[in-house]
Amino acid sequence: MNQLSNVVLVRSAQSIRAADRLPANSGRASRIHALIDAFGLGEHLRIIEPRSLSNDELAMFHSEDFIRCLLATDSSCSSDDDDSGSDQSQKDKLAKFGLVHDCALFDGVEDHVRYAAGGTVAAADALVRSQAQIAIHWEGGRHHCQRNKAAGFCYVNDVVLGIIELQKRFSRVLYIDLDLHHGDGVQDAFIYSNRVMTVSLHHYDRGFYPNTGGKVDEGRGRGKAHSINVPLQRGTSDSMFIRMFSEATHCVLNTFDPSAVVVQCGSDGLAGDPHKVFNLTTEAFAHCIKSVISWRRPVMLLGGGGYNIPDCARCWTRLTGIACGKDIAATAHIPDHAFLNEYAPGFDMLVDAMLVEDENTQSCIQEIRSALSQIHTAD
């Protein structure tokens, strides 16, 4: 398999437009793909188009009632589908499925859901069919959504649907979540499984969304020792993140021999993200992805959080380059393109760390290490 056919990037004009309409990440997809194209990375990979998933395909994970309400394909979430016909009845149904507050319905939600899920399934299918060794879908990675409830800006759990697709060929799938927030939706979907291992490195603190992922091993039943968490503190630096990633994945590779790997690359841990919790640069993400690629398993790279759009585009463009064997230096100048002015004042790929303390104490790290050392699978 040559380098060009080794890597696929899933996107289309329709899927980019659909992703751009997500209120939490408005316009982000256009910026990401414009920067990827500006660096000429399309010459080193193949583009494949996602398709819009049907309701039946979404129901491979999500409940039919949730899908009907979310996509308004019938009157299940309208105010005139029950005896009362009241606005309160409609609000109650929306709340039941999480379609309020951070996941309120918006114009274009149906296209967003169908293409976000369809793109990740298309990426998984490329790996299943041996059409690529690395498949990338930056509009995916919506890791909070539950089977019957939207959550955390996530209206569909494309990650779970992608892993289900991968299981058509790969018996053991490792899911790694690099997002600032715990990958609760994916963990919950496979918490009883010993064929999917989830590893999430994230910030955990009382009151910090989604308030889960504080225990190193949260697996249940046959899934014991297969739902692994690395809860980190404010100010987490590149060196700390890399160290804990390396220790967690070393442990996992010694106990669980994955036949495919999925990485959610949420960039909201970057120092410049509005959350201002972790203190990461693109070096942390680059190290993690280079390590995963070195394992020589089929890899799927997904997006996720990331609310400083220029920095998110810098990060995921660099990771795309790494996948293609064309890492982009932090000092590289941003090529001229439609969104160049958004990279002022430096107009380069650099994401600076902040002068903040890394609050991960030695005792906290030792506690995580001790818990990781106790992980043994019994497959």
Side-chain angles (χ1 to χ4, degrees):
M1 186 179 291
N2 61 42
Q3 187 66 34
L4 182 61
S5 61
N6 185 48
V7 183
V8 298
L9 175 64
V10 182
R11 73 178 188 194
S12 68
Q14 295 94 328
S15 67
I16 291 171
R17 283 196 298 270
D20 276 347
R21 298 176 76 176
L22 179 65
N25 304 125
S26 180
R28 188 179 70 173
S30 290
R31 272 77 174 168
I32 291 161
H33 291 285
L35 192 59
I36 289 171
D37 291 343
F39 274 102
L41 296 177
E43 299 175 6
H44 306 285
L45 49 75
R46 287 189 300 116
I47 305 292
I48 62 174
E49 294 192 358
R51 58 186 179 80
S52 174
L53 286 197
S54 68
N55 286 19
D56 287 343
E57 289 169 312
L58 293 171
M60 292 295 292
F61 173 61
H62 291 291
S63 71
E64 293 182 1
D65 286 346
F66 171 69
I67 294 167
R68 282 196 297 268
C69 186
L70 171 65
L71 303 182
T73 56
D74 63 10
S75 59
S76 60
C77 271
S78 68
S79 60
D80 59 355
D81 69 328
D82 63 2
D83 294 336
S84 68
S86 68
D87 289 342
Q88 188 59 47
S89 173
Q90 180 184 15
K91 291 177 182 178
D92 289 346
K93 288 183 179 180
L94 291 172
K96 174 184 176 182
F97 295 113
L99 299 172
V100 292
H101 306 308
D102 58 348
C103 285
L105 294 176
F106 64 94
D107 186 26
V109 66
E110 179 171 356
D111 282 347
H112 163 68
V113 165
R114 294 193 190 280
Y115 278 111
T120 297
V121 170
D125 183 65
L127 300 180
V128 168
R129 296 176 183 272
S130 299
Q131 295 175 345
Q133 184 70 9
I134 302 172
I136 305 169
H137 180 228
W138 294 129
E139 288 67 66
R142 315 312 301 186
H143 61 169
H144 292 308
C145 191
Q146 301 286 338
R147 179 176 181 271
N148 60 354
K149 195 169 188 177
F153 307 133
C154 300
Y155 295 79
V156 64
N157 202 314
D158 64 284
V159 186
V160 173
L161 290 166
I163 291 173
I164 291 171
E165 182 71 16
L166 288 174
Q167 289 179 313
K168 291 180 178 179
R169 174 185 173 191
F170 304 108
S171 60
R172 298 159 70 89
V173 178
L174 172 61
Y175 170 73
I176 302 173
D177 195 311
L178 306 181
D179 199 279
L180 177 66
H181 302 86
H182 179 227
D184 57 331
V186 184
Q187 174 182 282
D188 290 351
F190 298 108
I191 202 164
Y192 289 98
S193 173
N194 62 357
R195 294 296 176 233
V196 177
M197 177 173 276
T198 63
V199 178
S200 179
L201 292 87
H202 54 267
H203 179 57
Y204 175 77
D205 197 6
R206 182 178 297 175
F208 186 80
Y209 188 85
N211 300 303
T212 56
K215 185 179 177 183
V216 171
D217 177 18
E218 296 188 344
R220 302 174 187 172
R222 288 186 300 174
K224 182 70 175 173
H226 288 76
S227 294
I228 310 304
N229 293 302
V230 181
L232 298 170
Q233 301 306 307
R234 289 183 175 275
T236 294
S237 62
D238 283 350
S239 59
M240 178 61 69
F241 195 85
I242 289 169
R243 185 193 318 170
M244 298 314 298
F245 170 86
S246 299
E247 293 188 18
T249 55
H250 176 75
C251 169
V252 165
L253 291 174
N254 281 340
T255 58
F256 184 79
D257 183 24
S259 43
V261 183
V262 179
V263 188
Q264 198 266 23
C265 305
S267 68
D268 41 4
L270 289 173
D273 191 86
H275 282 91
K276 298 188 182 302
V277 175
F278 283 177
N279 194 28
L280 304 180
T281 75
T282 60
E283 288 300 319
F285 292 88
H287 176 91
C288 295
I289 298 309
K290 288 176 181 178
S291 294
V292 171
I293 291 172
S294 74
W295 301 340
R296 299 188 180 279
R297 272 96 162 174
V299 176
M300 180 160 64
L301 302 180
L302 302 174
Y307 307 95
N308 178 323
I309 292 178
D311 280 358
C312 183
R314 287 180 171 104
C315 184
W316 293 350
T317 296
R318 183 175 182 189
L319 299 187
T320 303
I322 288 169
C324 298
K326 303 290 181 182
D327 194 3
I328 301 169
T331 55
H333 294 295
I334 302 289
D336 189 16
H337 69 293
F339 304 108
L340 177 62
N341 288 341
E342 297 181 15
Y343 296 89
F347 299 101
D348 56 30
M349 289 288 282
L350 186 64
V351 175
D352 284 319
M354 309 292 284
L355 291 174
V356 297
E357 179 185 1
D358 187 329
E359 297 181 15
N360 291 285
T361 64
Q362 190 59 40
S363 62
C364 289
I365 297 307
Q366 189 54 47
E367 184 178 342
I368 295 172
R369 285 174 174 159
S370 178
L372 288 173
S373 70
Q374 301 302 312
I375 293 173
H376 302 284
T377 61
D379 296 338

